Amino acid sequence: MNPQRSSRKSQPKADPEAEEKPQNGQNGLFPVVGIGASAGGLEAFTQLLRHLPSDIGMAFVIIQHMSPDQESMLSVILARSTQMPVHDVTDGMVVVPNQVYVIPPKFSMTIERGMLKLTPRSRARGIFMSVDNFLLSLSAERGNKALVIMLYGGDSY
């Protein structure tokens, strides 16, 4: 039993379902920040994270485009710059506020119903638009709770 609910029973409510509704805006959605950068964006990522409070109420998704053959230590490096937990994304990972998520180099990523979805990156020639792919899904998912920070370069790996 929730002690807050029992103490409120004697108080009249204007909306009987108000307690069941999320209280943080657009259908309970918290802001998600998509941060895109070229392979040279490491310093910008670390500087940005270094200056953010750990209880900011937003989730941060880092999309750095790099060669699919390159191993990434980005999450380990970024974890040194912030008090927020930093995660290498796995398929189906649920996004929560006050955490940082890093795309793995061999995948394309989208967000759907609060979960990060990974699909293998094809080795076909041409432009791979990892930042654009994620940001389009973020916009569709979060609407005005989607924020974008572009730190470096274009999206053409």
Side-chain angles (χ1 to χ4, degrees), residues 26 29-35 57-61 95 111 134-149:
Q26 181 188 327
L29 296 179
F30 56 88
V32 175
V33 183
I35 307 171
M58 302 176 183
F60 297 87
V61 181
V95 177
I111 185 170
F134 180 75
L135 296 179
L136 287 169
S137 72
L138 178 61
S139 175
E141 164 81 7
R142 294 289 160 140
N144 67 0
K145 296 287 185 176
L147 294 101
V148 174
I149 299 172

Side-chain angles (χ1 to χ4, degrees), residues 21-82:
K21 293 179 184 174
Q23 300 297 313
N24 57 344
Q26 181 188 327
N27 299 323
L29 296 179
F30 56 88
V32 175
V33 183
I35 307 171
S38 66
L42 178 61
E43 181 64 22
F45 285 141
T46 59
Q47 289 297 316
L48 174 66
L49 292 176
R50 187 171 287 131
H51 291 92
L52 294 173
S54 61
D55 61 349
I56 196 164
M58 302 176 183
F60 297 87
V61 181
I62 307 277
I63 308 100
Q64 181 178 38
H65 53 125
M66 61 183 76
S67 169
D69 300 322
Q70 182 178 348
E71 290 300 316
S72 176
M73 295 293 295
L74 186 58
S75 61
V76 173
I77 295 167
L78 294 179
R80 298 178 194 145
S81 302
T82 181

